[in-house]
Amino acid sequence: MSAPVFEAAALAAVLGAAAFVGARRSIRAGLALLALYAVQGACAIWISRSLADGPRATAARLALLAALVGVLAHRLATYAFSRPPAARDRLIVPVVHVAQAWLFLELAAWPFRVLMLPDGPAVDALAVWGALAFSAIGLMWTHRRPVTTRIHASVRALGRPLRVVHLSDLHLGPYLSEDRLSWLVEAVQSERPDLIALTGDFLTLRTLHDWDPVLRFVERLQAPDGVFACLGNHDVPVADALSRTLRARGVTVLRDEVTWVGAGHARIAVAGLDWRSGPGAPQAYGKALARLCQAAGPAGPAIVLCHQPAVFRLAPRAFGGIMLAGHLHGGQVGLRWRGRGVSVLRLFGLYDQGLFARGAAWLYSHRGTGVYGFPIRVGVPAEIAVLDLAPAGAEGRPPAPLLASGTNGAAGW
């Protein structure tokens, strides 16, 4: 395949897919898809033009075109013809997700190859096929069972010791089968939690109208102080219906609400924040969190569930509880050493994973129990977080955080 033929085919695929989604869904959806894949298509064309002619270049162009067309076809099937997951997804989706990850990696790696590495077929082959191999390895990490992370912290607003099992970002879909959910129930219950916290993103676009497996999952969760949840960005389209259904299954869904468990000195305030997005989100989050803290008492709720970890920056100075969050999946690609982890998101001031301190308050940013979006994990395994929390004196402050909190970058509010 020559470079001009590849370029024409790539442009036609991107423009055709965007036009179809725009006609089927909305102009906004079509433009969003065009913006995302035009960049990847342009990167693929750049790679194609950089390759020396020959059989290897032809094979690379064919593979890149197949990846681009396959991903676009899957996006059409998902966004233009929403349907519940099918058995064939177990084969199709992993292949498509490897292709998607490959395109993203090429977008990041190829400028480095052009600017920093010498020209030559061997270097080109390493850049193209090495990224594909990395994507396949990441897919295997995605399918590994979550690991159990154990955290100990002293919480000023807590009246008694409490064991919390924290799950986040289940993302019911092709990567989270019902068999895996059954295993997850057994793993959670084996920890004998006092309280179970679920911090949003139960669903994906493919499961917005078929969440029965999640309902069967939460029905089996049991803890003396209850099962609590907030909603995430992927739950927003069906937020009201999902909240009612989860509540009917025994889950306390907190949407800008605070509630109490226990009695007397053992009474514990648990709060939850609803998902917000858009330019006014930080201000809305800040006001909602301030109201919840005011309602719960001088030190605020002992536990706050919030899908967005950046909200931790907005906590009032008096807040002396622990916020449990998710959303970032730990960055999905990073490094871990002696139980501590870091990802590239930390460079942008984001609370990517682990335990953070701010004043007398804690944040635990969950690495995610499932996966979605950029579909690979390398060095950042999915997790079940077990937090053993102990009360601290009113004058007490938590020790230094296990992980540095990063800079207060604009990306993290």
Side-chain angles (χ1 to χ4, degrees):
M1 174 181 282
S2 65
V5 172
F6 173 83
E7 292 173 16
L11 287 172
V14 173
L15 292 173
F20 192 87
V21 169
R24 180 80 180 179
R25 290 282 299 276
S26 68
I27 297 298
R28 181 179 178 181
L31 290 175
L33 186 141
L34 177 62
L36 176 61
Y37 290 101
V39 174
Q40 295 188 41
C43 182
I45 290 173
W46 183 18
I47 294 171
S48 171
R49 289 185 176 183
S50 302
L51 297 173
D53 289 332
R56 291 181 178 178
T58 296
R61 290 186 183 114
L62 285 171
L64 283 169
L65 184 61
L68 184 62
V69 171
V71 168
L72 288 169
H74 186 258
R75 290 294 180 265
L76 291 181
T78 301
Y79 291 104
F81 302 98
S82 293
R83 59 176 178 79
R88 61 180 176 274
D89 288 334
R90 293 192 177 186
L91 174 64
I92 295 173
V93 171
V95 174
V96 170
H97 278 193
V98 167
Q100 176 68 86
W102 186 27
L103 292 174
F104 271 117
L105 288 170
E106 289 296 349
L107 184 62
W110 200 258
F112 173 80
R113 175 258 171 275
V114 171
L115 296 174
M116 303 294 294
L117 298 177
D119 292 331
V123 176
D124 291 342
L126 178 63
V128 172
W129 304 116
L132 179 60
F134 187 85
S135 302
I137 292 170
L139 186 74
M140 288 188 286
W141 270 71
T142 297
H143 283 281
R144 294 174 62 181
R145 283 182 171 177
V147 301
T148 300
T149 304
R150 302 188 184 280
I151 301 295
H152 299 266
S154 298
V155 179
R156 192 178 71 180
L158 193 65
R160 58 181 166 90
L162 190 74
R163 169 166 283 193
V164 178
V165 172
H166 178 199
L167 305 179
S168 189
D169 299 270
L170 292 170
H171 289 299
L172 173 67
Y175 284 107
L176 192 69
S177 65
E178 194 150 6
D179 290 342
R180 192 164 183 169
L181 283 174
S182 295
W183 174 87
L184 193 57
V185 169
E186 295 175 4
V188 169
Q189 297 301 147
S190 69
E191 298 294 338
R192 298 185 178 180
D194 299 311
L195 183 148
I196 298 173
L198 310 171
T199 51
D201 273 5
F202 294 91
L203 308 175
T204 66
L205 187 65
R206 298 294 299 278
T207 53
L208 284 176
H209 306 292
D210 180 27
W211 57 70
D212 284 346
V214 163
L215 301 180
R216 289 191 287 270
F217 166 69
V218 299
E219 281 180 333
R220 296 174 59 191
L221 296 177
Q222 295 181 356
D225 288 318
V227 180
F228 295 83
C230 66
L231 300 183
N233 52 300
H234 285 276
D235 307 319
V236 167
V238 292
D240 293 339
L242 180 61
S243 298
R244 289 194 301 270
T245 311
L246 287 173
R247 286 167 179 156
R249 299 305 197 279
V251 178
T252 302
V253 182
L254 298 170
R255 306 181 66 185
D256 296 342
E257 299 168 287
V258 61
T259 189
W260 285 261
V261 296
H265 294 294
R267 198 169 182 232
I268 295 172
V270 183
L273 287 165
D274 225 356
W275 174 262
R276 291 164 170 84
S277 59
Q283 293 77 13
Y285 269 124
K287 291 178 181 178
L289 181 56
R291 287 195 299 269
L292 295 179
C293 287
Q294 185 177 15
I303 299 172
V304 176
L305 310 185
C306 180
H307 187 65
Q308 170 62 273
V311 177
F312 187 57
R313 302 187 193 279
L314 309 175
R317 290 184 176 275
F319 178 53
I322 183 168
M323 181 176 289
L324 305 180
H327 187 52
L328 297 179
H329 301 183
Q332 290 194 199
V333 178
L335 298 172
R336 292 189 63 75
W337 175 254
R338 293 184 177 179
R340 304 183 183 188
V342 65
S343 77
V344 69
L345 296 184
R346 191 74 59 85
L347 301 177
F348 298 94
L350 300 178
Y351 296 120
D352 57 347
Q353 57 177 292
L355 194 65
F356 300 83
R358 184 173 178 267
W362 291 106
L363 164 72
Y364 189 77
S365 185
H366 199 281
R367 297 198 303 268
T369 309
V371 69
Y372 195 62
F374 186 66
I376 66 173
R377 287 183 179 271
V378 175
V380 183
E383 72 172 338
I384 301 167
V386 180
L387 296 95
D388 285 305
L389 308 178
E395 73 288 354
R397 292 168 58 88
L402 295 180
L403 298 170
S405 60
T407 58
N408 194 354
W413 298 348

